[in-house]
Amino acid sequence: MATIAEFHVSAEDTALGESFERCPDLTCELERVVESAWPGVWLAGADDDEIAAALEADPTVEEFERVSGDDDRTLYELEFAEAVCSVVEMVLDEGGTLVSAKAENGRWAVRMRFRDREQLRTVYERLREHGVDVEIGHLSELTDSSWEEIGLTAQQYDSLVAAIRRGYFEIPRKVSMQELAEELEISHQALSERLRRAYGTLARAELDMPFELEPEADGEGSGEVAADRVEND
């Protein structure tokens, strides 16, 4: 049965350890919708000059570019060093799918989807072999009714499953949002909005926050989406 696991790892062992040393109040959250060769990361807790200086000095960051920002946080696209990429590639090669990643106080909380507990165990052991001090936090099993229980619509669920199966969440992506939208026979904007609503629903369910179901507003693909469901979930 498919499993969602949250890994807790030190930034010092993985990514942005030096940035946290220089900016102790720094918080990070991986942006999963920005389409780029580099992953987007929302950074907060320091001003732009402090963040830029920290990233410049961080050995886990090869290059970075400021994309946008507001008073609370700033979006950067980061090219991570090979040591970071090799760990990520190892996890993905073993079958893990990255769901979300955020960090504060020098520690990352990374949520991964695995086909079964054995796959999860293998990734855990491989991380330890790589010298990563990893702890497993929250675990949850995905059942056929899980998506309904947490408030996802059928369209949101099918879009998420298609995105996972086609490698949209992998780094680097195996399919662009435009290509995925064409396969699902909806517009790029419709898919983006659908995934954003799904992310919000999943986040609220995980954080046990109240929410109201929002109707699909894209007006497209109102019937069953042709994406195959993940077997054995």
Side-chain angles (χ1 to χ4, degrees), residues 101-138:
K102 57 186 177 180
E104 61 182 347
N105 299 320
R107 290 191 67 80
W108 284 94
V110 182
R111 299 184 73 240
M112 303 285 298
R113 176 184 177 275
F114 298 95
R115 183 178 62 252
D116 50 41
R117 291 291 180 95
E118 185 60 34
Q119 195 176 68
L120 164 61
R121 186 178 299 108
T122 298
V123 169
Y124 174 82
E125 293 173 352
R126 291 290 306 278
L127 286 170
R128 301 283 292 187
E129 291 171 2
H130 274 71
V132 178
D133 184 12
V134 57
E135 298 176 358
I136 297 180
H138 182 69

Side-chain angles (χ1 to χ4, degrees), residues 7-161:
F7 290 142
H8 296 169
V9 297
S10 168
E12 184 178 359
D13 289 345
T14 52
L16 301 183
E18 180 66 23
S19 296
F20 278 102
E21 284 289 329
R22 290 172 174 264
C23 303
D25 294 329
L26 188 68
T27 63
C28 311
E29 183 175 0
L30 188 67
E31 167 64 53
R32 300 315 313 269
V33 178
V34 174
E35 294 193 55
S36 172
W38 298 356
V41 180
W42 285 101
L43 301 177
D47 63 38
D48 285 352
D49 290 340
E50 292 173 326
I51 291 175
L55 294 176
E56 186 70 37
D58 199 315
T60 64
V61 177
E62 292 288 346
E63 295 185 51
F64 64 92
E65 181 177 345
R66 185 184 186 279
V67 178
S68 64
D70 52 35
D71 293 338
D72 298 321
R73 60 180 187 168
T74 305
L75 178 64
Y76 286 86
E77 290 183 347
L78 307 181
E79 179 183 4
F80 285 108
E82 177 60 31
V84 176
C85 295
S86 65
V87 173
V88 174
E89 289 169 2
M90 180 273 293
V91 173
L92 298 179
D93 288 344
E94 292 293 345
T97 298
L98 183 63
V99 176
S100 67
K102 57 186 177 180
E104 61 182 347
N105 299 320
R107 290 191 67 80
W108 284 94
V110 182
R111 299 184 73 240
M112 303 285 298
R113 176 184 177 275
F114 298 95
R115 183 178 62 252
D116 50 41
R117 291 291 180 95
E118 185 60 34
Q119 195 176 68
L120 164 61
R121 186 178 299 108
T122 298
V123 169
Y124 174 82
E125 293 173 352
R126 291 290 306 278
L127 286 170
R128 301 283 292 187
E129 291 171 2
H130 274 71
V132 178
D133 184 12
V134 57
E135 298 176 358
I136 297 180
H138 182 69
L139 287 176
S140 61
E141 306 288 357
L142 292 180
T143 64
D144 290 338
S145 60
S146 292
W147 62 276
E148 293 176 311
E149 293 170 356
I150 64 178
L152 289 176
T153 68
Q155 291 86 358
Q156 290 167 357
Y157 175 84
D158 286 328
S159 296
L160 283 171
V161 170

Side-chain angles (χ1 to χ4, degrees), residues 218-232:
D218 49 56
E220 300 184 29
S222 57
E224 289 291 324
V225 179
D228 293 333
R229 303 244 180 193
V230 175
E231 295 179 1
N232 301 321

Side-chain angles (χ1 to χ4, degrees), residues 153-159 180-191 194 215-227:
T153 68
Q155 291 86 358
Q156 290 167 357
Y157 175 84
D158 286 328
S159 296
L180 188 60
E182 290 174 358
E183 291 181 16
L184 296 176
E185 299 183 349
I186 59 177
S187 69
H188 180 286
Q189 180 179 351
L191 179 59
R194 183 176 293 179
E216 289 290 327
D218 49 56
E220 300 184 29
S222 57
E224 289 291 324
V225 179

